[in-house]
Amino acid sequence: MDLEPSQLDEFYRFFPISGMTHCRWGDGANGIGNMPDTYSGSNEPEDNVLMAMVQWVEEGIPPETVRGAKFAKGAARSAVEYHRKHCRYPLKNVLKGPGNYTDENAWECI
């Protein structure tokens, strides 16, 4: 059975996390709540990928972005340097003109 992208989007979404290595860590805003050491400190769906999935299943609200945190010392429980919203595929994070890369509002999904 062939599915159109919009049909697939109803039950499957892929979010490449910029600055993340294979499953966690890396130089970017990779604290998405999927592991204890990437926990952003919030159980809100915007800040925790697992809670975003629960919200999708239980309330029918699919995530449009996954918000990650960049921790100062590379691990949760240290200060958050910045947040970044990661786009769902095939959209990509693009810095809007001159701006500070640590400002999550300086990025958009294109």
Side-chain angles (χ1 to χ4, degrees):
M1 167 173 75
D2 291 333
L3 294 174
E4 295 294 320
S6 61
Q7 293 173 298
L8 184 63
D9 207 38
E10 292 177 15
F11 65 91
Y12 180 86
R13 293 188 177 192
F14 174 63
F15 296 87
I17 308 299
S18 59
M20 179 184 268
T21 57
H22 181 65
C23 292
R24 58 184 171 169
W25 309 111
D27 294 331
N30 59 64
I32 59 172
N34 61 322
M35 304 286 285
D37 52 2
T38 65
Y39 179 59
S40 67
S42 173
N43 285 327
E44 294 301 316
E46 179 185 42
D47 293 320
N48 188 307
V49 70
L50 298 176
M51 296 312 295
M53 296 303 107
V54 169
Q55 183 180 42
W56 190 4
V57 170
E58 293 182 356
E59 300 175 32
I61 302 171
E64 293 299 321
T65 59
V66 169
R67 187 172 186 238
K70 168 63 176 163
F71 299 108
K73 295 181 182 175
R77 298 185 188 88
S78 63
V80 173
E81 287 184 17
Y82 63 89
H83 288 96
R84 177 158 312 137
K85 292 178 183 172
H86 302 288
C87 309
R88 64 183 168 94
Y89 183 84
L91 303 174
K92 294 183 181 189
N93 255 350
V94 176
L95 187 62
K96 299 185 281 188
N100 187 338
Y101 74 95
T102 62
D103 177 5
E104 71 180 299
N105 295 314
W107 297 84
E108 69 180 312
C109 296
I110 298 179

